[in-house]
Amino acid sequence: MDIATHLDILRADGELLARTAERTGLDAPVPSCPDWRIRDLLGHLGGVHRWAAFVMRSGNTTRPSRDDTATLFQAPGDDELLDWYRTTHTDLLKTLTTATPDTPAWTFFEAPSALAFWARRQAHETAVHRVDAELAAGVPSTVPADFAADGIDELLAGFLSRPGRNLVADPPLNIAIAPDDNDAAWTMRIGTDARRVESGAGAADLTVSGPAEKLYLLVWNRADTTGCRLDGDREVLARWRELATVD
């Protein structure tokens, strides 16, 4: 999936999230993020947008310090929060659309370029939280199949496999994810001191298959197993949900 497609999805989902939040109200609880309300969702995502834009504009290929970024996550009060979120989203899009593939910036897992990394990372960050807002509003969510498959790959092979992520399991956990509507599949093996992701649906304690959209929401812990098929030890999925918590 290319940068332009990720940016198109980032643009559309950020706008949809803001409209959904406006209709739902800032006090609405977010069932997929316990203890969060819509105001927390907007504050979190707005801060992440500001952080990503800061990283892309910095020209620095090392991780920014907490001192440099601490104020980026300071959201305003309720009266200004929605406008603030929309501004952070617009600013992020401007930063990414004016950058080039050779723009230097820090990333936290491998990608073809910093621009490709941040366009993809922010597209999925926003899509998942758009779903959170829709869950709070009680409306159904849809995710395009190709983008969903891309997001499963980004989660398993990137986000959860990045350096510093303390993802271990004792006893070891092996789960395969196999979309029906995409050629890609993955097997994640998590042990007591390491984890790895293999291409293809290999031998695993549990194989989960179904439409890519359903699997995307499932592995990001935004949906139950409705529409999916589970072959193997179902307890593995419960253990996965405990390990793969992502706000």
Side-chain angles (χ1 to χ4, degrees):
M1 186 162 283
D2 61 21
I3 292 169
T5 302
H6 283 134
L7 291 178
D8 285 344
I9 292 171
L10 170 60
R11 179 178 293 104
D13 278 351
E15 292 170 354
L16 182 55
L17 185 153
R19 291 198 300 270
T20 303
E22 190 169 29
R23 289 197 310 271
T24 304
L26 299 180
D27 278 331
V30 181
S32 45
C33 298
D35 302 325
W36 274 19
R37 295 184 181 272
I38 286 289
R39 66 169 54 83
D40 303 301
L41 182 64
L42 292 172
H44 166 79
L45 187 56
V48 171
H49 285 346
R50 295 179 77 192
W51 181 64
F54 173 89
V55 170
M56 276 301 299
R57 288 195 298 260
S58 71
N60 196 332
T61 57
T62 59
R63 184 187 179 104
S65 71
R66 290 184 182 275
D67 289 342
D68 289 337
T69 59
T71 60
L72 299 177
F73 290 87
Q74 294 176 0
D78 287 358
D79 290 347
E80 301 174 14
L81 186 58
L82 267 165
D83 286 342
W84 175 83
Y85 172 73
R86 286 187 166 108
T87 298
T88 69
H89 178 245
T90 299
D91 183 61
L92 173 64
L93 281 166
K94 181 179 179 180
T95 300
L96 295 176
T97 54
T98 56
T100 61
D102 61 354
T103 299
W106 170 74
T107 65
F108 51 88
F109 53 85
E110 187 175 349
S113 68
L115 177 58
F117 173 89
W118 286 108
R120 186 191 197 201
R121 177 83 288 281
Q122 289 299 289
H124 288 293
E125 180 83 9
T126 306
V128 167
H129 288 314
R130 182 261 297 172
V131 170
D132 288 331
E134 291 169 339
L135 288 169
V139 298
S141 297
T142 61
V143 181
D146 287 349
F147 180 70
D150 179 72
I152 297 169
D153 181 77
E154 204 247 5
L155 177 68
L156 300 183
F159 198 77
L160 293 180
S161 299
R162 67 194 189 276
R165 174 79 187 196
N166 186 28
L167 196 66
V168 296
D170 186 11
L173 180 156
N174 302 292
I175 185 169
I177 307 296
D180 294 338
D181 48 0
N182 193 281
D183 292 338
W186 306 263
T187 302
M188 190 160 197
R189 305 191 186 281
I190 307 172
T192 56
D193 58 359
R195 74 273 190 191
R196 71 180 189 275
V197 178
E198 301 170 356
S199 296
D205 303 317
L206 176 68
T207 298
V208 187
S209 54
E213 175 186 50
K214 301 294 186 183
L215 298 178
Y216 178 77
L217 297 177
L218 179 68
V219 298
W220 280 97
N221 286 334
R222 263 59 188 188
D224 60 21
T225 58
T226 301
C228 302
R229 299 183 304 281
L230 279 66
D231 182 15
D233 183 359
R234 291 174 175 247
E235 180 61 26
V236 168
L237 185 59
R239 294 177 60 210
W240 166 265
R241 286 183 176 278
E242 292 175 0
L243 287 172
T245 54
V246 182
D247 289 335

